[in-house]
Amino acid sequence: MTKYARDEFDKVPETASRQGVHRTATAPSRVRLWPILAVGVAALAIGLVSFLILPKLGLGGTENQASAVVSEAPLAGTGATPSAAADTSAEPSATAQPSTEPSAETTTEPEPVPSATASVGPELDKSQPVAVYNAAGTSGLAGRVGGTVKAAGWTLGQVGNWAGAPQQGSTVYYSGADQAANARELANLLGVSTVVASTEFQVPLVVVLGPGYR
């Protein structure tokens, strides 16, 4: 028992239910978390699918769009459509056509034919008498050489031994420029290397056979 006086609040009814501020304490209600967890798991799954699968599914379309943009870029820079560019490239170039103008003709002048009279040497006069002298001291040398001169068609003059100054070699003497060709022809016939112009002889052509002549 308490030492305080009873009041109206001490009057408790006989029933089990309580009234007023004195209420029966009830057990706290449990917070239901499973709906929140289900929503979070579903959101996580949707995020993973969007991050991993959707980019792979849309990769081909992205590349095709990029290639289309690159292919259209040069055409946009030149201001020509694809069909116009194809038609332009198909047309042949005007500069590639072969020239129809005739080429310049090359004329060749005929080579000059040498005159037949230019190759012919001076005419020989074998009617002039040819004297043959032996200055080599070999017996019968003048007669033998005189026979050779006559056999070649020349007119043979005096034949004998040399009575003049000693000779160092064989010589063909001629008198006058018109006899120079005859003297050279006689020198070639007899194998004499020396031809000398002289007016000391009475005949136009003189052959002196010096030492060593055979």
Side-chain angles (χ1 to χ4, degrees):
M1 297 296 289
T2 61
K3 60 182 182 177
Y4 297 102
R6 294 179 63 88
D7 53 14
E8 59 181 353
F9 295 104
D10 294 332
K11 295 179 180 180
V12 180
E14 294 298 331
T15 60
S17 62
R18 300 183 67 178
Q19 299 179 356
V21 294
H22 301 282
R23 298 177 184 268
T24 304
T26 59
S29 61
R30 297 181 179 178
V31 180
R32 297 181 179 181
L33 298 178
W34 65 268
I36 299 175
L37 294 176
V39 173
V41 171
L44 181 61
I46 293 173
L48 291 176
V49 171
S50 301
F51 181 75
L52 299 177
I53 299 177
L54 291 182
K56 294 183 179 180
L57 295 178
L59 181 60
T62 304
E63 291 181 352
N64 293 334
Q65 293 176 359
S67 61
V69 171
V70 172
S71 62
E72 292 176 357
L75 298 178
T78 57
T81 60
S83 60
D87 295 341
T88 304
S89 61
E91 295 180 356
S93 176
T95 58
Q97 296 180 357
S99 176
T100 57
E101 297 181 358
S103 59
E105 297 181 356
T106 57
T107 58
T108 56
E109 296 181 357
E111 297 181 358
V113 179
S115 176
T117 57
S119 59
V120 179
E123 187 177 354
L124 300 177
D125 184 8
K126 294 184 177 182
S127 63
Q128 299 294 328
V130 179
V132 179
Y133 297 102
N134 182 7
T138 303
S139 177
L141 180 61
R144 178 169 59 84
V145 173
T148 302
V149 172
K150 188 175 182 179
W154 295 89
T155 301
L156 186 59
Q158 185 177 1
V159 177
N161 292 326
W162 176 250
Q167 299 293 315
Q168 300 297 326
S170 300
T171 305
V172 176
Y173 296 94
Y174 67 94
S175 176
D178 55 344
Q179 298 297 325
N182 295 333
R184 287 193 294 270
E185 184 65 20
L186 283 172
N188 292 333
L189 175 64
L190 301 177
V192 177
S193 58
T194 304
V195 177
V196 177
S198 177
T199 58
E200 296 180 358
F201 302 97
Q202 297 179 356
V203 292
L205 295 171
V206 176
V207 177
V208 179
L209 304 173
Y213 184 84
R214 296 290 185 270

